[in-house]
Amino acid sequence: MAEQINLLQEQVQHARSNSRRLNIVGGGTKAFMGRTADPDADKLSLAGHTGIVEYHPVELVLTVRAGTTLKEIEAVLAEQGQCLHFEPPRFGEASTIGGTLACNLSGPARPWAGSVRDQVLGIRLLNGKGEHLRFGGQVMKNVAGYDVSRLQAGAMGTLGVITEISMKVMPKPAATLTLVQDMAMEEAVRYMNRRAGEPKPVTGACWVDGKVYLRLSGARSAVEATAEKWQGSVMGDGEQCWRQIQDMKHNFFGDKNAPLWRFSVGSAANLPVLDGQWMMDWAGAQRWYRGQAALSDLEPMAQAAGGQVSLFSGGDRTGEVIHSQPEALKVIQRRVKQSFDPDRLFNPGRLYSWL
Amino acid sequence: MMAKSKASKAQLAELFRSFIDPEFVITDEETLKPYECDGLAMYRQLPLIVVLPETVEQVQRVMRICHEHEVPVVARGAGTGLSAGAMPHKEGVVLSLAKFDRILGIDPLSRTARLQPGVRNLAISEQAAPYGLYYGPDPSSQIACTIGGNVAENAGGVHCLKYGLTVNNLLSAEVITAEGERVTLGSDGLDSCGMDLLALLTGSEGLLGVVTEVTVKLLPIPEVARVIMAGFASIEKAGDAVGGVINHGIIPGGLEMMDSPAIIAADDFCGAGYPREAKALLLCEIDGTEEEVSEHIAEAEALFRELGATSIRTSKNEQERALLWKGRKSAFPAVGRISPDYYCMDGTIPRRYLAKVLVEMEQVSKEFGLLVANVFHAGDGNLHPLILFDANVPGEFEKAEAFGSKILELCVAVGGCITGEHGVGVEKIRQMAVQFNEQELQQFHNVKAAFDPQGILNPGKGVPTLKFCQEYRSLEHKQHRHEQQGAHHG
Ligand SMILES: Cc1cc2nc3c(=O)[nH]c(=O)nc-3n(C[C@H](O)[C@H](O)[C@@H](O)COP(=O)(O)OP(=O)(O)OC[C@H]3O[C@@H](n4cnc5c(N)ncnc54)[C@H](O)[C@@H]3O)c2cc1C
Ligand SMILES: Cc1cc2nc3c(=O)[nH]c(=O)nc-3n(C[C@H](O)[C@H](O)[C@H](O)COP(=O)(O)OP(=O)(O)OC[C@H]3O[C@@H](n4cnc5c(N)ncnc54)[C@H](O)[C@@H]3O)c2cc1C
């Protein structure tokens, strides 16, 4: 593995001395996200940098190389009755853990189990000087130095090449059950939030196609007792439904070319219902909108709902695709980028045109 | 570039008094005195000036003035920090957030609370209780410490194995930067676009910005919580029991361990009825719905028996639960009674090395001739060794400090880290050189510069200068060689 690191390191140094740019590629399954990659950049592939470095189920901590596929990780965890609680979407067999962290994607359990950002404990990173650095660690609590590991979540590889990740894993729940009932969208927002405020084992709350779905998981007795108390009928193929939502294979996501907007807002917030198709996940904190719109028109709506919006997939990806930043935060993010990658080698323009 | 004009104390005070109630611009030694240290009283320093602004605009103006004149600023919450993070700078301003103690709003439907930074941690849960909600992170200092200080230290508590640290329970923070800009990191949504500057800010020990408002998540209060107290004949056995429960798929709401000296001190102090003969005690709290808790309690009890527990008692009601926890919660003052002084360390290790680290710690304890009592968050490997010493005996504090350093280095050696929740501050700045190499430390300095180009926020804390590290390392090296030679000549 030392060889692979050396290879990656050489590629970074080579790019640096030849004024080349690098497009960091994990599994290549999330190319549709972010802004269109710089066509001039050279590919820096993590595909060979794979494997579990350390896994002690009793510690609830897993350390893996960044190019390892989610598929492999999930198989190894399943053997021990454990899982990635944040339920990362898999857009294909090749999805890697590095790309998952860089894009900060999480599945339906996000409000209860946290995101990949919440579960990451430490990383190793190649910065723009080709230095291989270690941040955070393999323990749940660590406040020595700045939290550079979590900073990578959502940075889309603009700060460096993540080569290794340590993260928290959790036991798989003993039982899972899904309740479904018909409900209008506005009512569903309130309903899902009210349920989420009760001390019951909810791990999913989603609304799509005029139906609200609640997932219960945990100890069998608790799940069954709650299902009995709450309204809704028990779904036969509940787990498969959540899987489709997690991997964005649900019918709602069917049309790959139409622009898909993602609102990350206050879970109980009112958001104007524009013409088009809507879906709500995370008890209302994540809302999907499929329809034609301009980012600049949606931003004020998202802001009024306490959050932000991005063009998740489809549409024009040569302009800005994620919520704009106030000037003062632009300045800080440019300087942070500069501090990791002074020659702007990594994924130029992938996140914002100005970064 | 503008000429740098370092203002005098009198000039600065006058500038501040032009917009802050003069009563809250403190310059006289007697009134400055209470600010000279935080919870780690061994480190003291009188500041130049203390200001207690009352509005965010005032905080902003303070920062602008200090930035312009290159004056160091140390933000201060309740001053309960245990790494001298809030210790003043002798040429600087202490910016107290004490007046920002209002809960701005609780939204029960979206389960969030908007808070000024000076709100006490416990006050959040108290105010949320009528809605059936509470705030997860519960540092033992929660009666006193502030949410602003919690963000700065990424504070955690007994609950954090299951419910996370501050970073996992924070939605957004309004921050005044070193340059006096007012920015909001994060949002009411669960995640925001771009770089996660909120995560970077959390645990940054007041080095990246001054927190002036936060929004936190609230959780539903569990239907029921019960605690199992289990005594074991050895630390190893108790350690195995911790692993056993987790391997079984149960994540306790709290999982704490105490060693023999701590058990006896705590039991003497509050008569919790702890098994005094036990070498290690586990307190394992299970929370959730009625059904879940009875199912998991039965399973955990059986597991502990199987794994060699010599005594088991499970709380039957809230009074009994409170009593069992009382000993743990008052363990620090309890130890304080059996020793004139104690020094509380804070390091984290992978749990599987628990027994190894405790045995080695006992060895070091003998070498130094100082006793150590252990109370720790067993669920997440966060150790809090309490080193007992007498500050009135010349040289004893230095000995305690050296002992503490050894413990932290031991933590790093087994793959852990030098601080789980108290921060680096001034106290652990030397050990940063043990956990990080030069390139990593330089990267930290570069991150800092992105937020605070002139380095006015809490200078001298958190990340050591490279020169300092080199000196420290060569000193260590020399000492090490010296010790080895000593042993040889023996
Ligand atoms: C069907 C198919 C067709 C394709 N067609 C083309 C094509 O026409 N042209 C072309 O150029 N490429 C193509 N690719 C390759 C690939 O999609 C892109 O090269 C690449 O930009 C997307 O990979 P990815 O990094 O998004 O992978 P992911 O692993 O999904 O990564 C997503 C994001 O995370 C970042 N990232 C990933 N790993 C790390 C890490 N370890 N550290 C830091 N950041 C990281 C990436 O830079 C990216 O921003 C194709 C791939 C597939 C599967
Ligand atoms: C008995 C006791 C038990 C403790 N138990 C725990 C525990 O279980 N878990 C735990 O995590 N900690 C614990 N602590 C440590 C301490 O209480 C925490 O670190 C706490 O978060 C500090 O909060 P504070 O308001 O007192 O901050 P202060 O001590 O005032 O400041 C701490 C640091 O935060 C910075 N700061 C404060 N306010 C702001 C702000 N608004 N903006 C920017 N920076 C700011 C300061 O500059 C300083 O660096 C304990 C302390 C004591 C005395």
Side-chain angles (χ1 to χ4, degrees):
Chain A
M1 282 310 136
E3 293 153 40
Q4 282 175 13
I5 289 295
N6 292 345
L7 227 64
L8 290 168
Q9 211 159 12
E10 274 167 29
Q11 280 174 278
V12 172
Q13 269 143 4
H14 179 265
R16 194 173 185 218
S17 32
N18 293 285
S19 304
R20 298 292 304 164
R21 305 252 167 121
L22 292 170
N23 184 16
I24 307 169
V25 180
T29 64
K30 297 181 192 68
F32 66 87
M33 288 185 68
R35 299 178 71 249
T36 308
D38 185 343
D40 243 12
D42 300 334
K43 175 167 158 178
L44 181 76
S45 172
L46 268 291
H49 196 57
T50 64
I52 310 285
V53 178
E54 242 183 295
Y55 175 38
H56 303 277
V58 172
E59 302 272 351
L60 298 174
V61 175
L62 171 77
T63 301
V64 286
R65 294 189 189 93
T68 313
T69 61
L70 292 175
K71 194 175 166 204
E72 180 182 348
I73 292 172
E74 286 175 344
V76 169
L77 292 177
E79 273 172 32
Q80 304 293 331
Q82 297 187 337
C83 63
L84 297 175
H85 243 202
F86 61 93
E87 303 185 326
R90 290 146 320 163
F91 297 128
E93 300 263 298
S95 280
T96 66
I97 191 68
T100 299
L101 175 59
C103 297
N104 192 27
L105 295 176
S106 325
R110 166 75 177 92
W112 298 276
S115 61
V116 58
R117 167 260 202 202
D118 287 298
Q119 311 299 2
V120 78
L121 302 171
I123 57 159
R124 300 196 76 189
L125 180 88
L126 273 170
N127 70 7
K129 292 187 221 156
E131 296 169 340
H132 197 212
L133 311 175
R134 187 189 293 276
F135 298 106
Q138 296 187 326
V139 286
M140 307 244 173
K141 285 160 118 185
N142 179 357
V143 287
Y146 304 118
D147 196 340
V148 169
S149 314
R150 290 195 173 93
L151 176 65
Q152 305 306 322
M156 288 202 88
T158 52
L159 299 176
V161 187
I162 304 161
T163 59
E164 191 177 299
I165 302 175
S166 295
M167 65 185 131
K168 194 169 156 184
V169 297
M170 281 295 211
K172 262 196 180 145
T176 296
L177 184 152
T178 301
L179 293 173
V180 58
Q181 58 181 311
D182 292 329
M183 205 175 286
M185 189 174 170
E186 288 81 356
E187 195 191 339
V189 175
R190 281 188 303 275
Y191 181 72
M192 289 191 296
N193 277 286
R194 257 194 7 249
R195 286 304 192 207
E198 290 182 49
K200 298 293 183 188
V202 189
T203 59
C206 158
W207 176 89
V208 63
D209 293 337
K211 288 188 172 62
V212 67
Y213 298 82
L214 288 178
R215 180 174 60 181
L216 302 167
S217 36
R220 180 166 302 281
S221 55
V223 166
E224 285 171 357
T226 307
E228 206 151 296
K229 226 173 137 199
W230 286 2
Q231 306 103 292
S233 51
V234 175
M235 235 186 130
D237 54 350
E239 299 221 24
Q240 196 188 330
C241 170
W242 290 105
R243 196 82 226 196
Q244 284 172 343
I245 293 169
Q246 173 179 345
D247 292 342
M248 302 181 75
K249 299 233 164 68
H250 189 278
N251 283 342
F252 176 85
F253 300 103
D255 181 358
K256 297 284 177 221
N257 297 316
L260 177 67
W261 301 90
R262 172 178 183 263
F263 287 89
S264 174
V265 292
S267 62
N270 286 318
L271 193 67
V273 184
L274 302 168
D275 275 351
Q277 279 175 286
W278 286 88
M279 172 176 173
M280 294 190 293
D281 199 358
W282 301 359
Q286 176 168 258
R287 302 188 199 182
W288 297 101
Y289 169 57
R290 196 177 270 303
Q292 297 293 340
L295 184 59
S296 54
D297 291 336
L298 298 186
E299 281 190 4
M301 286 171 44
Q303 239 154 303
Q308 300 188 335
V309 61
S310 56
L311 178 56
F312 187 80
S313 63
D316 173 19
R317 310 200 74 79
T318 56
E320 298 299 344
V321 295
I322 66 179
H323 204 103
S324 59
Q325 299 277 322
E327 195 51 41
L329 286 184
K330 271 191 187 174
V331 170
I332 295 178
Q333 289 182 74
R334 277 204 198 97
R335 289 192 200 143
V336 169
K337 163 86 171 165
Q338 166 84 15
S339 82
F340 281 92
D341 181 18
D343 300 311
R344 293 189 81 236
L345 304 181
F346 302 122
N347 289 7
R350 185 81 197 259
L351 196 53
Y352 302 101
S353 61
W354 44 267
L355 198 74
Chain B
M1 277 235 322
M2 221 170 51
K4 286 166 188 167
S5 66
K6 293 206 172 147
S8 69
K9 175 169 175 166
Q11 284 166 328
L12 274 175
E14 200 183 304
L15 279 170
F16 295 145
R17 285 189 180 120
S18 73
F19 60 95
I20 297 176
D21 182 343
E23 199 189 330
F24 301 129
V25 178
I26 301 165
T27 53
D28 67 292
E29 193 164 322
E30 198 186 327
T31 326
L32 287 176
K33 198 90 179 149
Y35 294 91
E36 71 179 348
C37 66
D38 62 8
L40 188 60
M42 295 85 163
Y43 294 89
R44 290 170 190 274
Q45 176 63 59
L46 272 186
L48 200 64
I49 299 178
V50 174
V51 293
L52 292 93
E54 292 174 282
T55 67
V56 177
E57 290 71 22
Q58 290 174 352
V59 174
Q60 202 168 6
R61 287 180 76 172
V62 170
M63 290 313 299
R64 290 221 167 111
I65 289 168
C66 292
H67 178 70
E68 185 187 337
H69 300 280
E70 286 187 59
V71 177
V73 181
V74 179
R76 183 182 174 96
T80 68
L82 288 175
S83 57
M87 183 185 83
H89 189 283
K90 73 173 187 297
E91 283 156 19
V93 171
V94 167
L95 174 60
S96 165
L97 282 309
K99 300 222 165 275
F100 293 82
D101 60 354
R102 278 182 37 232
I103 293 182
L104 300 170
I106 289 182
D107 182 344
L109 191 58
S110 66
R111 307 169 308 287
T112 56
R114 260 180 70 218
L115 314 159
Q116 288 191 325
V119 170
R120 291 175 307 111
N121 175 295
L122 189 61
I124 311 169
S125 291
E126 284 169 355
Q127 293 293 313
Y131 306 105
L133 302 169
Y134 77 108
Y135 178 60
D138 56 342
S140 311
S141 52
Q142 69 179 157
I143 312 175
C145 67
T146 69
I147 189 70
N150 289 174
V151 172
E153 301 290 3
N154 192 15
V158 166
H159 280 128
C160 78
L161 175 66
K162 188 167 176 183
Y163 299 105
L165 299 147
T166 305
V167 70
N168 310 111
N169 289 276
L170 202 59
L171 285 171
S172 72
E174 181 191 72
V175 175
I176 305 298
T177 67
E179 292 162 299
E181 298 284 350
R182 186 173 179 167
V183 294
T184 299
L185 311 179
S187 71
D188 292 348
L190 292 175
D191 40 48
S192 302
C193 295
M195 294 180 193
D196 198 335
L197 301 180
L198 182 61
L200 198 59
L201 175 84
T202 313
S204 66
E205 305 191 29
L207 271 82
L208 301 184
V210 178
V211 178
T212 50
E213 190 183 309
V214 297
T215 301
V216 299
K217 294 183 209 169
L218 301 173
L219 302 169
I221 300 172
E223 267 174 19
V224 57
R226 293 174 70 193
V227 59
I228 306 174
M229 174 190 82
F232 291 87
S234 73
I235 293 277
E236 284 90 339
K237 286 223 158 82
D240 290 345
V242 169
V245 167
I246 288 170
N247 225 16
H248 192 74
I250 299 175
I251 302 296
L255 187 53
E256 301 281 301
M257 201 195 282
M258 293 162 80
D259 70 359
S260 179
I263 296 168
I264 291 167
D267 198 53
D268 282 344
F269 188 69
C270 64
Y274 287 168
R276 304 171 63 93
E277 72 294 345
K279 289 282 172 284
L281 183 77
L282 277 188
L283 290 169
C284 172
E285 179 160 295
I286 311 262
D287 61 1
T289 64
E290 300 277 358
E291 303 84 15
E292 185 173 19
V293 171
S294 29
E295 191 177 322
H296 283 170
I297 285 273
E299 287 172 10
E301 279 180 350
L303 258 169
F304 288 160
R305 282 216 177 81
E306 215 173 282
L307 293 169
T310 48
S311 58
I312 287 192
R313 194 169 133 199
T314 303
S315 66
K316 290 185 192 56
N317 51 43
E318 278 302 289
Q319 289 90 305
E320 204 179 353
R321 182 171 82 97
L323 180 67
L324 291 181
W325 274 118
K326 195 173 167 203
R328 162 64 184 91
K329 297 215 163 158
S330 51
F332 290 9
V335 167
R337 277 213 323 191
I338 60 170
S339 168
D341 298 283
Y342 67 87
Y343 185 23
C344 175
M345 298 309 296
D346 161 46
T348 305
I349 57 165
R351 235 185 294 110
R352 62 187 179 281
Y353 294 115
L354 200 59
K356 175 184 156 76
V357 168
L358 292 186
V359 166
E360 278 187 42
M361 210 186 283
E362 223 172 278
Q363 189 55 42
V364 186
S365 155
K366 286 193 191 115
E367 279 166 31
F368 280 95
L370 294 176
L371 287 175
V372 60
N374 269 293
V375 179
F376 47 88
H377 308 304
D380 47 40
N382 188 191
L383 308 179
H384 286 313
L386 303 173
I387 302 170
L388 313 189
F389 71 101
D390 183 349
N392 287 326
V393 177
E396 274 229 326
F397 172 63
E398 286 71 17
K399 256 209 297 196
E401 215 182 7
F403 185 178
S405 302
K406 278 262 183 322
I407 293 175
L408 298 182
E409 285 163 26
L410 197 56
C411 291
V412 175
V414 298
C417 71
I418 60 169
T419 170
E421 55 186 21
H422 293 171
V424 174
V426 178
E427 184 204 21
K428 288 180 227 114
I429 201 145
R430 293 180 300 270
Q431 284 79 32
M432 282 293 277
V434 179
Q435 194 174 330
F436 296 100
N437 69 28
E438 236 90 309
Q439 294 176 335
E440 289 152 357
L441 293 169
Q442 184 59 52
Q443 184 64 65
F444 286 145
H445 283 297
N446 295 349
V447 167
K448 160 87 169 163
F451 285 80
D452 179 11
Q454 298 190 347
I456 61 166
L457 273 170
N458 226 349
K461 315 266 178 72
V463 185
T465 62
L466 299 185
K467 184 161 168 284
F468 178 93
C469 290
Q470 281 150 5
E471 282 166 13
Y472 179 67
R473 288 204 186 97
S474 71
L475 185 74
E476 277 288 279
H477 187 62
K478 265 187 230 144
Q479 269 178 356
H480 192 63
R481 273 196 14 219
H482 189 72
E483 278 163 21
Q484 278 183 337
Q485 279 167 3
H488 279 300
H489 297 286

